[in-house]
Amino acid sequence: MLDIQMLRKDLPAVVAGLARRGVAFDEAGFRALEDERKGLQSRTEELQAKRNALSKQVGILKGKGEDASAVLAEVGGIGDGLKANESALAALQERLNAFLRTIPNLPRPEVAEGRSSEDNVEVRRRGAPRVFDFAPKDHVDVGAGLGLLDFDTAAKLSGARFSVLRGALARLHRALSQFMLDVHTREHGYTEVYVPYMVTGECADGVSSLAKFRDDLFKVEGRDLYLIPTAEYPVTNFVRDTLLEAKDLPLRFVCHSPCFRSEAGSYGKDTRGMIRQHQFDKVEILQVVHPERSAEAHEELTRHAEAILDRLELPYRTMMLCTGDLGFASAKTYDLEVWLPGQQAYREISSCSNYEAFQARRMQARFKGGEKGRAEPVHTLNGSGLAVGRTLVAILENGQQADGSVAVPAALVPYLGGVERIERA
RNA sequence: GGAGAGGUGGCAGAGUGGUCGAUCGCGUCAGACUCGAAAUCUGAAGUACCCUCCGGGGUACCGUGGGUUCGAAUCCCACCCUCUCCGCCA
């Protein structure tokens, strides 16, 4: 959420920032609500002060053994009016707060202005798409040809948007997570964590807006628990309601987890194959940093994700999302897009975002010991490093051979017990 | 599932109706001592919000939500969480 002080002191800047994302902000409506709040709060606090003072007098009088009935009569008259004011104020503050939590983050100034993914900006490109001397298949056909990718069984078990992997493909899937975890822990300085795959509504609302995105999540029936759509949900909440020391920063975590997404609103989109599933694995990298370090940390974290693609020899490009394509909580995002010969297109395989203080304010994650001397919100960042299912897709499509087998990237061979090629079972 | 104990400031831990926003300790910060450091001594400091003639004044917050009362950390009710023991269990 945005800093309420900023809305009060510099509303035009907020309005302008949101306009860059294509979000209209009701300036007059907000001002009116704020004025109402201010008046009501002053009146309420005045009454409370009066009651407190009189009550204190009662105590003093009674302590001396004197008669307090006159004061009691006076304070008795305050009660009803005060109660009415208090509940009106509470309701108003609740409304203001709920409203505040539905406002998206402001884009950083350097983020390119635009309306949709069409306007995203390519930052760099690595690796050239391979030239095939045969017509490359998509991963569904490659997987089916190997007899190791099975959507029919998955559909029988759980319906659409699930998959079953068998044999060498299941092992490749496991190997990918291990490989990514090893690189991030050994070479990039992240601490591996294992976490719950369900979180409370409060935690969900800490990383994004539960009110806005509830439908994207799977909820556990009869419980205030949601299946996580990414490890960002549990891991970022490590620091909720926490006061850190400046010297503890940065915190760096890497977490492999399944991710569950209802994919509401994506009907008809990517219905074929493993690109868009209700359940997929992801290795997520996260950082909690000093506010002054977050821009730098964002570049670094993005390179950490790119490093995985480099090692796997997969061609990709790095896109800076334009203001209109930015996620709700993000101030700046780089998407990594891997080349998929089967689709003849670059497709998202990682999203690396700097949330600045947006999530930290929502979840009260602060640190102390900075220059300001007082507690202030930390900055949070995260990125996929990488989405495991989509990486598997990329390997199947980029590594496919004319005979239907798939070449394993050299970096993964040790993780597959020396197997260099996946062949029909 | 059964029984019990408990949730208080960065941590630890007092406080059972009236100057308690809260004792003491540890830790933190500043100053003194020191060439410097340690030890010691002195002092400072919760968070959020409102008003301000910028000196300061005020409100709320003791797990959460209600209630009783002129007044609640303290009494009552509900809920959440943690710990211990027993049972069950991968």
Side-chain angles (χ1 to χ4, degrees):
Chain A
M1 99 183 131
L2 300 179
D3 184 357
I4 182 71
Q5 297 303 348
M6 187 180 181
L7 270 86
R8 285 173 186 155
K9 285 179 195 147
D10 197 1
L11 191 54
V14 173
V15 173
L18 290 172
R20 293 188 70 219
R21 311 181 46 130
V23 173
F25 183 86
D26 179 7
E27 198 171 340
F30 176 76
R31 282 226 158 88
L33 212 57
E34 258 293 285
D35 285 346
E36 194 184 341
R37 192 217 91 239
K38 219 177 252 190
L40 194 53
Q41 183 163 349
S42 292
R43 282 197 300 282
T44 305
E45 291 185 354
E46 231 167 78
L47 286 174
Q48 286 170 327
K50 196 167 162 194
R51 178 206 56 198
N52 290 347
L54 290 173
S55 291
K56 193 169 270 185
Q57 264 186 51
V58 173
I60 293 168
L61 287 174
K62 289 203 168 170
K64 290 186 199 155
E66 291 174 22
D67 175 38
S69 57
V71 183
L72 280 174
E74 194 183 350
V75 76
I78 300 174
D80 289 345
L82 179 58
K83 274 227 166 79
N85 269 309
E86 277 176 342
S87 53
L89 179 63
L92 189 62
Q93 273 171 335
E94 189 45 50
R95 257 175 71 201
L96 257 167
N97 191 39
F99 169 68
L100 194 65
R101 293 184 81 89
T102 62
I103 302 171
N105 202 359
L106 302 178
R108 289 178 63 91
E110 72 269 22
V111 174
E113 197 160 331
R115 302 171 62 111
S116 73
S117 55
E118 312 259 303
D119 303 316
N120 293 344
V121 178
E122 182 173 321
V123 187
R124 55 187 162 261
R125 190 182 280 232
R126 297 288 281 274
R130 180 181 144 201
V131 179
F132 286 84
D133 52 13
F134 59 95
K137 300 174 187 162
D138 80 353
H139 70 281
V140 178
D141 290 337
V142 175
L146 292 169
L148 301 175
L149 180 55
D150 180 357
F151 291 106
D152 294 339
T153 302
K156 180 167 70 181
L157 303 178
S158 314
R161 293 203 188 283
F162 288 94
S163 49
V164 166
L165 308 179
R166 297 178 190 271
L169 206 52
R171 183 170 187 183
L172 176 62
H173 186 259
R174 169 162 60 93
L176 279 169
S177 323
Q178 301 303 317
F179 167 69
M180 293 176 193
L181 284 166
D182 283 348
V183 172
H184 294 310
T185 54
R186 290 177 189 162
E187 298 173 33
H188 298 155
Y190 291 80
T191 301
E192 183 173 350
V193 291
Y194 169 82
V195 299
Y197 299 151
M198 303 172 209
V199 296
T200 63
E202 198 177 21
C203 287
D205 199 57
V207 296
S208 182
S209 169
L210 186 57
K212 282 194 163 183
F213 304 110
R214 194 184 304 271
D215 290 347
D216 296 339
L217 304 179
F218 285 112
K219 185 169 193 305
V220 177
E221 190 165 346
R223 292 250 197 175
D224 177 35
L225 287 174
Y226 297 83
L227 299 190
I228 60 171
T230 154
E232 170 190 2
Y233 274 54
V235 179
T236 310
N237 275 286
F238 278 15
V239 293
R240 89 173 289 111
D241 289 324
T242 300
L243 184 58
L244 296 157
E245 298 285 340
K247 62 176 163 54
D248 298 333
L249 301 175
L251 301 176
R252 289 184 180 150
F253 300 111
V254 58
C255 183
H256 166 235
S257 84
C259 304
F260 304 94
R261 300 187 181 180
S262 77
E263 293 298 341
S266 67
Y267 300 109
K269 216 168 156 189
D270 298 318
T271 48
R272 183 175 161 84
M274 288 181 71
I275 293 289
R276 193 173 298 275
Q277 302 259 283
H278 286 313
Q279 175 187 320
F280 63 94
D281 275 29
K282 184 155 59 66
V283 171
E284 186 80 354
I285 48 180
L286 301 93
Q287 296 200 24
V288 176
V289 306
H290 188 290
E292 281 174 9
R293 277 259 313 135
S294 74
E296 190 187 337
H298 186 213
E299 300 297 325
E300 176 191 280
L301 177 138
T302 303
R303 275 192 259 289
H304 291 158
E306 289 172 344
I308 303 294
L309 287 165
D310 289 333
R311 302 286 189 94
L312 296 175
E313 303 162 58
L314 293 168
Y316 67 93
R317 60 182 191 179
T318 302
M319 308 291 288
M320 176 173 68
L321 299 195
C322 72
T323 55
D325 203 26
L326 221 47
F328 174 78
S330 178
K332 185 177 179 180
T333 297
Y334 291 117
D335 272 6
L336 308 189
E337 299 182 341
V338 69
W339 174 254
L340 295 184
Q343 294 196 8
Q344 289 291 303
Y346 283 99
R347 293 298 309 260
E348 180 187 339
I349 195 167
S350 169
S351 191
C352 302
S353 299
N354 182 0
Y355 301 98
E356 296 193 324
F358 190 83
Q359 295 181 324
R361 268 187 229 107
R362 295 177 85 86
M363 62 176 75
Q364 292 256 50
R366 297 166 306 156
F367 79 101
K368 207 175 175 176
E371 306 69 44
K372 291 180 187 166
R374 49 174 302 178
E376 54 179 315
V378 294
H379 279 195
T380 59
L381 312 97
N382 66 54
S384 348
L386 307 164
V388 177
R390 287 188 182 181
T391 308
L392 188 82
V393 166
I395 288 173
L396 289 181
E397 296 199 7
N398 284 283
Q400 62 181 301
Q401 307 296 313
D403 65 1
S405 68
V406 173
V408 174
L412 283 180
V413 171
Y415 289 85
L416 288 171
V419 171
E420 293 177 355
R421 192 166 288 227
I422 295 175
E423 292 171 323
R424 184 168 176 85

